[in-house]
Structures are given as structure tokens and as C-alpha cells.
Amino acid sequence: MISLQSLDDETLSFILMNPFRIFPDYTPEISGQDLRELGAESPDDISYYVVSTIRETVAGSTVNLKAPLAVNALNRRAKQIILDQPEYTFRHALGSTNRKEGE
């Protein structure tokens, strides 16, 4: 997990997760326009992170698989993209993974 903390408001932060550690079959398809805007030559240059909402239980927690943060690992340029893939949702339940709570 990664925490993005606001410099202006200490009560505001986002918890990011590596989606591939939670959903090994996650296969985001980045558009050519997004690749160009990130200054990337190949989808292999991109790392992905998903914004999470953490609740008291894993089953109640969600991640945004539909709109991941795409980061060009070579130049550190990043943006949130929206995937044109209907299998991903904005509030995908962590409880839908095969992992047991506490793992």
C-alpha cells in the first residue's frame, strides 16, 4: 500500500494499492492517447495503482479498478485513466478476491 498525503490538508489522503497483487488477472488496456500523454512508448513502461476505500472489514472495502492511476516508470509522469473495459468497476469489492481476511 502507498499513501498519498495532501500537503495542504493533513486529513486528506488516498490509499493506493498494486492491483496485480490483489487481482492477478487484472489486465488494463491503456489507450494510445493515454500512452502519448504519459510520454510512454509501450504499455510495458506503465505501472498501475488503484485507489482504495478501506472499511472495517476487507469484505466492505473496495478498489477502483475502472480508473487506475497510470504511471510512466521511466519519466514519473502520471495520470488517472478510465478504462474502456466493462469488466472493471469503480467500486470493486475486495471481498470478491480469493484471499482470506487478514492475509
Side-chain angles (χ1 to χ4, degrees):
M1 282 192 263
I2 298 170
S3 176
L4 292 182
Q5 181 72 47
S6 170
L7 296 175
D8 297 326
D9 182 352
E10 65 186 35
T11 65
L12 179 61
S13 67
F14 292 101
I15 303 299
L16 304 182
M17 295 183 176
N18 177 332
F20 306 104
R21 305 235 19 219
I22 308 164
F23 302 98
D25 295 334
Y26 185 59
T27 54
E29 297 172 5
I30 191 167
S31 73
Q33 179 178 342
D34 287 330
L35 274 178
R36 285 187 298 280
E37 289 176 7
L38 290 169
E41 294 182 19
S42 165
D44 294 334
D45 297 337
I46 304 299
S47 296
Y48 294 94
Y49 299 93
V50 292
V51 177
S52 60
T53 302
I54 306 299
R55 305 283 185 214
E56 288 191 31
T57 65
V58 171
S61 299
T62 62
V63 291
N64 182 346
L65 295 179
K66 184 72 169 178
L69 296 177
V71 181
N72 181 330
L74 303 175
N75 66 16
R76 296 186 181 197
R77 189 177 292 170
K79 68 180 278 187
Q80 187 171 27
I81 62 173
I82 299 177
L83 301 174
D84 188 23
Q85 293 173 263
E87 64 268 31
Y88 301 127
T89 64
F90 293 105
R91 291 185 183 97
H92 197 89
L94 283 178
S96 67
T97 68
N98 292 331
R99 301 180 112 165
K100 294 179 184 163
E101 192 168 337
E103 281 190 324

